[in-house]
């Protein structure tokens, strides 16, 4: 299991890993990158950046394990669904991207789908409780967009 209870990031790109006693135990500098979103799951910490990149770090050590070129522009939001082990991201490039994360059975990341939402600035993403539907928020839109999660 992971000692990382919290991970914080800032506009300088530095990540700080915190344990369950609220003490910092690892600092990871990523110069030139602005952190936009962080998710902790299992042995990993997923960090989304302004460059459109997602990086997976080991929660125990802060070691970089995987780098994903997820978007061509800024990632505005990221959500993790523990039921399906899936991360969804939305970005300034009008894309919703969906990735299956590493597990004990399969250490690879799999891109399992995407959705183009034309003429919208996508600002948020979340999963339904059952993990089968994604909800996407967009700037100046008064309702959530919903999409089935690819299997």
């Amino acid at each position: 299991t992971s000692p990382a209870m919290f991970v914080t990031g800032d506009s300088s790109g530095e990540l700080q890993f915190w344990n369950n006693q609220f003490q910092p135990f690892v600092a990871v500098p990523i110069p030139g990158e602005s952190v936009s979103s962080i998710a902790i799951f299992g042995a990993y910490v997923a960090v989304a950046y302004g460059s459109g990149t997602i990086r997976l770090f080991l929660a125990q050590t802060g070691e970089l394990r995987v780098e994903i070129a997820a978007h061509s522009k800024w990632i505005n939001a990221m959500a993790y669904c523990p039921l399906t082990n899936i991360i969804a991201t939305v970005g300034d490039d009008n894309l919703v991207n969906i990735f299956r994360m590493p597990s004990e059975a399969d250490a690879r990341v799999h891109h399992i789908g995407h959705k183009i939402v034309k003429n919208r600035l996508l600002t948020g993403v979340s999963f339904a409780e059952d993990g089968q539907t994604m909800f996407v928020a967009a700037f100046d839109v008064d309702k959530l967009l919903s999409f089935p999660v690819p299997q």
Side-chain angles (χ1 to χ4, degrees):
T1 63
S2 161
M5 293 296 294
F6 307 98
V7 178
T8 56
D10 60 27
S11 61
S12 74
E14 180 163 297
L15 300 175
Q16 183 65 62
F17 288 60
W18 303 80
N19 65 21
N20 61 359
Q21 283 83 41
F22 306 107
Q23 299 296 316
F25 68 92
V26 173
V28 179
I30 307 290
E33 290 278 18
S34 291
V35 174
S36 67
S37 191
I38 298 171
I40 301 173
F41 60 96
Y44 296 96
V45 174
V47 182
Y49 291 92
S51 64
T53 302
I54 301 169
R55 292 184 177 97
L56 297 183
F57 298 89
L58 288 179
Q60 285 273 14
T61 63
E63 176 188 345
L64 177 63
R65 297 309 302 251
V66 177
E67 191 167 329
I68 305 163
H71 293 267
S72 63
K73 295 182 179 182
W74 192 275
I75 296 174
N76 292 328
M78 176 174 62
Y80 175 71
C81 180
L83 287 177
T84 58
N85 196 33
I86 290 174
I87 279 184
T89 57
V90 296
D92 280 352
D93 55 5
N94 302 99
L95 280 177
V96 180
N97 269 316
I98 305 104
F99 300 92
R100 186 162 321 281
M101 292 290 101
S103 65
E104 288 185 22
D106 186 353
R108 298 172 295 169
V109 173
H110 298 274
H111 182 255
I112 60 170
H114 72 277
K115 177 78 175 161
I116 298 170
V117 183
K118 293 183 179 182
N119 302 318
R120 296 281 185 247
L121 174 57
L122 306 178
T123 58
V125 63
S126 184
F127 290 94
E129 193 173 301
D130 66 4
Q132 301 303 304
T133 305
M134 273 185 315
F135 299 103
V136 175
F139 182 74
D140 274 353
V141 176
D142 63 355
K143 63 179 182 173
L144 293 175
L145 308 170
S146 66
F147 306 105
V149 174
Q151 301 304 314

